Amino acid sequence: CRTGRGPPRSSTTPEPDRLPAGLRKDQDQDHRTMITELATPTARAIGFELSGKLHDEDYQVFVPKVDAALEAGTTRLLARFHDFEGRDLPALWDDIKFATTHCTKLDRIALVGENKWEGSMAKVCQPFTMAKLRYFEANETDAAWQWLAED
């Protein structure tokens, strides 16, 4: 079926959803990395800003960075939400897998957000982790880092 966007596909050209993630046209044009690593003031923690709508590809970048930090001795995580729109279904599955495989490896998680509903995420996430979990308002990022640095 032609959509009017570009030339017709040949029978040997794979559908966009069957291409490797880095070669999907929709990703190249519409998808930017939604998880950005933050500079951290403490070696005990790693931090990320999450924005827009998260996709599976974002977790393919994010999780290895967390794993490497855990191997280096980091046990704390800051997740700052900025213009956050949630996640698609594959990313939700990635989030569940992340929580179950990392639930005993992290001892503190700080969630920093801009919206009231993001604060409720701390309550929703608590049963899936053994970490101490605390929510901070967007203007409390420094306090979140300080909490992560405490003994």
Side-chain angles (χ1 to χ4, degrees):
C1 162
R2 293 226 29 212
T3 61
R5 291 183 284 171
R9 288 193 188 105
S10 72
S11 61
T12 60
T13 303
E15 294 296 317
D17 60 344
R18 296 184 189 266
L19 290 171
L23 299 177
R24 292 185 191 152
K25 283 190 176 192
D26 60 336
Q27 178 185 4
D28 294 340
Q29 294 170 355
D30 301 328
H31 183 74
R32 60 183 172 85
T33 301
M34 300 297 174
I35 300 178
T36 307
E37 191 168 355
L38 300 171
T40 62
T42 175
R44 297 179 82 174
I46 188 169
F48 296 91
E49 180 171 281
L50 297 86
S51 62
K53 189 168 192 171
L54 299 181
H55 302 277
D56 179 64
E57 292 86 0
D58 299 309
Y59 281 85
Q60 304 311 312
V61 173
F62 165 71
V63 174
K65 288 182 180 184
V66 173
D67 289 340
L70 288 168
E71 287 180 28
T74 298
T75 60
R76 297 175 180 189
L77 173 70
L78 182 136
R80 182 172 68 195
F81 302 98
H82 176 68
D83 293 332
F84 187 63
E85 300 171 9
R87 50 190 71 72
D88 65 13
L89 193 56
L92 177 61
W93 178 244
D94 290 330
D95 203 37
I96 292 168
K97 288 190 301 186
F98 177 82
T100 58
T101 59
H102 294 81
C103 72
T104 60
K105 298 174 185 174
L106 293 166
D107 62 0
R108 288 191 185 187
I109 301 171
L111 302 177
V112 180
E114 302 169 329
N115 300 304
K116 197 175 250 188
W117 68 268
E118 292 165 344
S120 65
M121 287 174 50
K123 292 176 183 155
V124 171
C125 294
Q126 188 62 59
F128 299 102
T129 183
M130 298 179 79
K132 290 180 184 176
L133 193 59
R134 189 166 161 194
Y135 178 77
F136 297 84
E137 296 291 330
N139 63 349
E140 300 176 310
T141 302
D142 290 340
W145 284 120
Q146 184 176 10
W147 178 72
L148 291 172
E150 293 173 358
D151 284 331

